[in-house]
Amino acid sequence: MSETIAALLKEGRHFPPPEEFVAQANVSDPSVYDRANRDPVGFWSEWANRLDWFEPWQNALEWEPPYAKWFTGGKLNACYNCVDRHVLNGKGDRVALIWEGEPGEVVSWTYAELQAKVCQIANALKQIGVKKGEIVCLYMPMVPEIVAAMLACARIGAPHSVVFAGFSADSLRDRINDAKAVAVLTADGGWRRGKVLPLKQVVDEALAETPSVRNVIVLERLGEEHLTVEYKEGRDLRWSEIVDRQPTECPCEPMDSEDLLFTLYTSGST
């Protein structure tokens, strides 16, 4: 090993954040690190108690190296903790999401509005037969609906797999097949630096070799004035027809603490 490589394997420099950044941190007490090192199980149990659980856990940690299981026996739902509990605690009218996209639209959703949209997507997924444990692929542009879609999957216990909307049909196909995704949520297209991305076209190419996919739900992001897409009968559904007409209530599925929430594939360079 050369001296240069050996030197790069060691890093002793420190890069402290600016004081004004530290001042606005949610956790600013340095002793938090000491407590975490001294009693990691007790420390994380304390933080876990800040979540809402449908059923309490029996063991905070089951550790059989190299395998670990956290909060075994406990049941909760990530969507409930991200959205519902804030609505139930009287914060439904507070802003949960602000989005600005191309070519300049601005969308603001309160927690109550986000909850309603999440429930509509969750009900749509249930209508097309998505069940607990089945994976849903999200190949969407940077729009607020993708946030609602991730939460909707968590709500019904269906792990989601986000695939970057800049990936090719081959990359999308490989990720769908590896996950055995049963449904794809996408858009007709998207904007990226002023250019139109034909997302539905990419999905169509990928699905030529993805036998596990039963349905595709397409968000009309651009509309026919910008992009014409094809819909395969019996497989493809318009967002406006399957999602927007759904009721705005959907119960949360109680999930085991170790249940899969999502899969996220590396691009190979990250």
Side-chain angles (χ1 to χ4, degrees):
M1 182 183 297
S2 71
E3 293 183 4
T4 301
I5 294 177
L8 292 174
L9 290 175
K10 299 177 182 179
E11 178 57 82
R13 294 175 297 170
H14 294 273
F15 301 90
E19 291 184 3
E20 59 271 18
F21 185 83
V22 173
Q24 65 181 0
N26 290 323
V27 179
S28 57
D29 182 3
S31 68
V32 67
Y33 300 105
D34 295 332
R35 288 192 289 116
N37 288 329
R38 186 170 58 253
D39 180 16
V41 174
F43 175 81
W44 289 113
S45 295
E46 177 185 332
W47 281 95
N49 279 323
R50 301 190 181 195
L51 299 175
D52 286 355
W53 295 79
F54 299 142
E55 295 181 19
W57 69 84
Q58 280 75 54
N59 297 298
L61 174 63
E62 293 182 5
W63 175 232
E64 296 181 7
Y67 303 105
K69 292 182 179 180
W70 285 92
F71 308 112
T72 55
K75 292 187 180 297
L76 75 170
N77 186 282
C79 181
Y80 184 93
N81 276 281
C82 289
V83 181
D84 293 57
R85 68 171 181 163
H86 300 301
V87 176
L88 292 172
N89 288 334
K91 299 178 181 178
D93 59 348
R94 295 185 62 176
V95 174
L97 182 150
I98 300 174
W99 170 83
E100 182 175 350
E102 294 183 58
E105 317 100 306
V106 177
V107 170
S108 176
W109 289 346
T110 65
Y111 278 102
E113 290 170 332
L114 176 60
Q115 183 186 49
K117 293 181 183 297
V118 167
C119 287
Q120 286 184 310
I121 300 172
N123 285 324
L125 291 173
K126 292 171 73 172
Q127 182 176 322
I128 63 174
V130 176
K131 296 179 175 58
K132 178 180 178 180
E134 292 186 318
I135 293 180
V136 176
C137 176
L138 307 181
Y139 185 73
M140 300 180 69
M142 298 293 284
V143 290
E145 285 83 359
I146 192 173
V147 176
M150 288 187 284
L151 291 166
C153 290
R155 194 173 194 87
I156 65 172
H160 67 264
S161 173
V162 173
V163 178
F164 171 53
F167 280 172
S168 67
D170 289 345
S171 297
L172 176 60
R173 176 202 62 208
D174 292 344
R175 286 159 175 77
I176 290 174
N177 285 337
D178 186 76
K180 296 181 175 59
V182 300
V184 176
L185 271 58
T186 188
D188 51 4
W191 297 105
R192 185 170 177 82
R193 298 178 180 177
K195 296 181 179 179
V196 171
L197 300 179
L199 301 183
K200 177 57 165 59
Q201 179 181 327
V202 176
V203 170
D204 288 340
E205 293 177 18
L207 295 195
E209 300 178 90
T210 53
S212 63
V213 174
R214 302 191 296 260
N215 290 104
V216 179
I217 298 179
V218 184
L219 175 70
E220 298 99 320
R221 166 70 176 123
L222 300 183
E224 294 183 356
E225 65 270 24
H226 294 289
L227 190 65
T228 300
V229 300
E230 296 182 359
Y231 286 83
K232 183 177 180 180
E233 186 175 355
R235 185 196 70 182
D236 299 345
L237 301 159
R238 288 176 171 81
W239 193 284
S240 59
E241 296 177 353
I242 185 69
V243 174
D244 292 344
R245 299 178 182 179
Q246 295 291 336
T248 57
E249 294 183 358
C250 178
C252 288
E253 182 72 26
M255 305 295 292
D256 289 336
S257 60
E258 284 284 328
D259 279 340
L260 181 64
L261 178 61
F262 64 88
T263 62
L264 186 61
Y265 292 92
T266 175
S267 65
S269 60
T270 55

